[in-house]
């Protein structure tokens, strides 16, 4: 992280609090991390400018919003040249039903998380992706029955602080 400010305990506490409570007021954040509001806001702006904060968003209760299905899909590409991966990644990023996509090492190339109205819509999505000639050789679908753990906050303190 060349050029990034060194994180101290207060910065880590700010980041940890912000990811758990993205709509927290500056006054409440300052109180939570033991600063006065003005220096707290300066630190938040510095952390944002340095790229430690990608953005702020609301986490929606999808169960309350609409009937849906979450499908995890293992995707293997037919060819493994750089241009094949690049083409697939450019196109998959554009798809609104793709919630996550990870390039993996191992038995398949990508693990993609889709959200759709139901299995029929998911199948339509996959057929459309196959018709677009993105280099998909095969795919395996796994329908999520229920979420057991779904975290949106990473353990910042544990990842950053060293013994």
């Amino acid at each position: 992280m060349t050029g990034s400010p060194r994180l101290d305990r207060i910065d880590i506490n700010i980041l940890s609090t912000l990811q758990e409570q993205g709509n927290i007021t500056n006054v409440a954040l300052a109180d939570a991390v033991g600063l006065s509001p003005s220096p707290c806001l300066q630190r938040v702006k510095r952390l944002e400018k340095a790229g430690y904060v990608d953005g702020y968003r609301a986490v929606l209760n999808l169960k309350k919003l609409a009937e849906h299905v979450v499908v995890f899909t293992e995707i293997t590409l037919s060819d493994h040249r750089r241009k094949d991966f690049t083409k697939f990644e450019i196109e998959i990023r554009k798809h609104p039903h793709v919630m996550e996509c990870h390039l993996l090492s191992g038995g398949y190339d990508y693990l993609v998380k889709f959200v759709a109205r139901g299995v029929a819509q998911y199948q339509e999505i996959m057929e459309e992706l196959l018709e677009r000639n993105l280099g998909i050789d095969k795919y395996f679908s796994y329908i999520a029955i229920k979420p057991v753990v779904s975290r949106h906050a990473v353990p910042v303190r544990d990842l950053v602080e060293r013994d």
Side-chain angles (χ1 to χ4, degrees):
M1 292 193 200
T2 308
S4 296
R6 184 160 169 75
L7 299 177
D8 63 16
R9 180 186 50 79
I10 293 172
D11 292 328
I12 293 166
N13 287 338
I14 287 171
L15 292 172
S16 183
T17 303
L18 281 176
Q19 76 168 343
E20 292 172 10
Q21 304 172 56
N23 65 343
I24 191 170
T25 66
N26 183 59
V27 172
L29 178 61
D31 186 52
V33 300
L35 289 176
S36 59
S38 182
C40 182
L41 184 58
Q42 289 173 348
R43 282 182 180 249
V44 169
K45 295 298 181 193
R46 178 177 53 84
L47 291 166
E48 289 172 346
K49 185 176 180 185
Y52 288 105
V53 178
D54 277 340
Y56 299 91
R57 61 189 59 89
V59 178
L60 303 181
N61 182 345
L62 197 51
K63 274 185 8 184
K64 189 169 183 92
L65 186 64
E67 287 290 321
H68 68 285
V69 63
V70 174
V71 183
F72 292 91
T73 306
E74 297 173 354
I75 294 178
T76 302
L77 299 183
S78 49
D79 292 309
H80 291 93
R81 298 175 303 238
R82 182 179 298 175
K83 70 177 188 171
D84 300 310
F85 288 101
T86 301
K87 178 182 178 182
F88 176 82
E89 290 173 15
I90 287 170
E91 294 303 315
I92 205 74
R93 279 186 192 105
K94 296 176 187 176
H95 205 288
H97 292 271
V98 173
M99 300 295 100
E100 296 179 29
C101 179
H102 302 271
L103 175 64
L104 305 174
S105 64
Y108 52 94
D109 299 320
Y110 292 95
L111 180 63
V112 184
K113 178 182 177 183
F114 290 92
V115 173
R117 283 189 309 272
V119 174
Q121 185 187 36
Y122 166 74
Q123 190 57 41
E124 289 172 14
I125 291 165
M126 288 309 301
E127 288 170 3
E128 182 259 328
L129 288 172
L130 291 168
E131 288 172 4
R132 289 173 54 194
N133 294 318
L134 301 179
I136 298 172
D137 180 40
K138 59 186 173 189
Y139 70 95
F140 296 94
S141 306
Y142 303 92
I143 297 172
I145 304 301
K146 72 176 183 177
V148 176
V149 175
S150 180
R151 292 188 180 101
H152 300 284
V154 297
V156 175
R157 289 178 188 94
D158 188 51
L159 294 173
V160 175
E161 292 178 349
R162 291 163 183 80
D163 295 329

